[in-house]
Amino acid sequence: MLAELLHFALTPASMAARRDGSVADSVALWARGNRQRRAWAAHETHARAVAEAAIGELRQTRTAVVLGSGLLRDVPIELLRARFKRVVLVDLVHLASVRLRALLGRWGNVEFMVRDIAGGEEGRDEGGDSGASPLAFLRSIPDLDLVISANVLSQIGVAARARAEEIAGADLDGPLADVARRLRRHLDALAGLGARAVLITDIAYRVRDRAGGEIEHYDLMHGVALPPADARWEWPVAPFGEIRRDIERVHDVVAHGDFGRAWSAGVGSPPDADRG
Ligand SMILES: C[S@@+](CC[C@H](N)C(=O)[O-])C[C@H]1O[C@@H](n2cnc3c(N)ncnc32)[C@H](O)[C@@H]1O
């Protein structure tokens, strides 16, 4: 508890990020990751392996960007540091411990960028979004050779859905279409970068009881179909005892080592008039 409080206090963040829960969420993720170190290990190894394989295929390794870099648990940071001239870590919050690790390790080619990659509130319709791509900033990063979307896509959907529920109450149809639009917008932008794009994301979760009975199944993609993945696995985000003694929550994760190629092959969600 003391470590969590210290983390909260020492993490550089705006008042807005402290108030809206972003810092608290990151600290909670850090604490859960520590508690569930063993349960999460396979997920983290699988995720890093997909990114490592993609890095191994690149002809140029000038600048790499990691979206949702967070605690760098599922990100091959050592390989990125060693291979790339410049590594940009993008997240709502970069915890004090991650910054300290970079400082003590003298990560001279690694930069922290605080950024909301879901898009800000400005210019939105009620429950809608401004339409501008929140990943447009990537176009102004010179010599971009690799972007890793590191387990952040579903978080964009979760936050958008929570906001939609707040605004719309029971009449969710329009706002839910907007959640899907935001997810597709991330995918479109990632695929259209002209740089290698690696996508790692959880697409659904299941809540199960100890008898294996499914209590809940939740589609984190809100109906947006992805192309066939290069790898897929289960991530026991909340094993028995984490949320409650008698239930577990397991996420289905997929990974694409070359998302641009897969998405443009058109096997995923078809283009539609709704695209933002
Ligand atoms: C499940 S964690 C990813 C874990 C991370 N890749 C790691 O290796 O530790 C999701 C991360 O996405 C970040 N995130 C969520 N929504 C975001 C947004 N709108 N913009 C930027 N980062 C966001 C969270 O702060 C968190 O660090």
Side-chain angles (χ1 to χ4, degrees), residues 154-169:
S154 66
Q155 299 301 304
I156 294 173
V158 167
R161 168 144 194 156
R163 221 163 23 236
E165 281 172 357
E166 236 175 73
I167 294 167

Side-chain angles (χ1 to χ4, degrees), residues 22 25-26 29 40 43-44 66-75 90-94 114-119 149-156 159 202 235:
S22 305
D25 285 351
S26 287
L29 185 71
W40 289 15
H43 155 70
E44 291 164 4
V66 183
L67 304 172
S69 54
L71 313 168
L72 298 173
R73 297 187 69 107
D74 49 39
V75 174
V90 182
D91 205 292
L92 286 172
V93 175
H94 300 283
V114 175
R115 196 168 187 105
D116 179 357
I117 60 158
S149 176
N151 268 308
V152 65
L153 178 62
S154 66
Q155 299 301 304
I156 294 173
D202 44 354
W235 176 18

Side-chain angles (χ1 to χ4, degrees), residues 4 26 29 101 116 122 130 153 188 208 240 258 264:
E4 286 168 62
S26 287
L29 185 71
R101 193 176 154 202
D116 179 357
E122 322 78 41
S130 65
L153 178 62
D188 281 337
R208 294 191 292 229
F240 291 109
D258 186 349
S264 62

Side-chain angles (χ1 to χ4, degrees), residues 133-152:
S133 171
L135 294 189
F137 74 98
L138 291 171
R139 299 205 170 276
S140 62
I141 296 183
D143 301 330
L144 186 61
D145 291 319
L146 175 70
V147 176
I148 303 174
S149 176
N151 268 308
V152 65

